[in-house]
């Protein structure tokens, strides 16, 4: 059942800015998933692909995630 799990049907309903973060070495996610998010979310959507990072960017690279969030949130003001 996990293999069929998909949230893409909800993406067009997102109306707030999105910063989608994924590790380039994510053992569960793919770059295609990030690109699908960017393609289908009608609001502003930025992608951040972190090198040398797995499935948990906040754990694997907390400084990079914090810096990206700070920049992204600051750009909304």
């Amino acid at each position: 059942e996990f293999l069929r799990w998909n949230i893409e049907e909800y993406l067009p309903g997102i109306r707030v800015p999105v910063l989608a973060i994924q590790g380039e070495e994510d053992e569960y996610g793919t770059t295609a998933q990030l690109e699908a998010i960017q393609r289908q979310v009608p609001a502003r959507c930025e992608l951040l692909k972190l090198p040398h990072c797995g499935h948990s960017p906040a754990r694997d690279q907390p400084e990079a995630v914090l810096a990206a969030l700070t920049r992204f949130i600051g750009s909304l003001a």
Side-chain angles (χ1 to χ4, degrees):
E1 186 173 316
F2 179 74
L3 293 175
R4 293 189 310 268
W5 183 71
N6 190 312
I7 63 165
E8 287 188 58
E9 68 183 277
Y10 303 106
L11 297 176
I14 296 175
R15 301 285 184 249
V16 297
V18 172
L19 173 60
I21 304 173
Q22 184 169 322
E24 288 183 355
E25 298 168 12
D26 188 330
E27 57 273 32
Y28 302 106
T30 67
T31 301
Q33 290 169 318
L34 273 187
E35 293 165 353
I37 292 169
Q38 188 173 48
R39 190 172 53 252
Q40 295 179 61
V41 169
R44 174 180 161 196
C45 183
E46 293 185 20
L47 305 183
L48 175 60
K49 302 170 193 171
L50 292 174
H52 314 293
C53 183
H55 186 67
S56 300
R59 183 196 67 210
D60 295 349
Q61 294 196 20
E63 297 85 9
V65 170
L66 182 58
L69 288 171
T70 300
R71 180 199 52 76
F72 184 76
I73 292 167
S75 74
L76 301 176

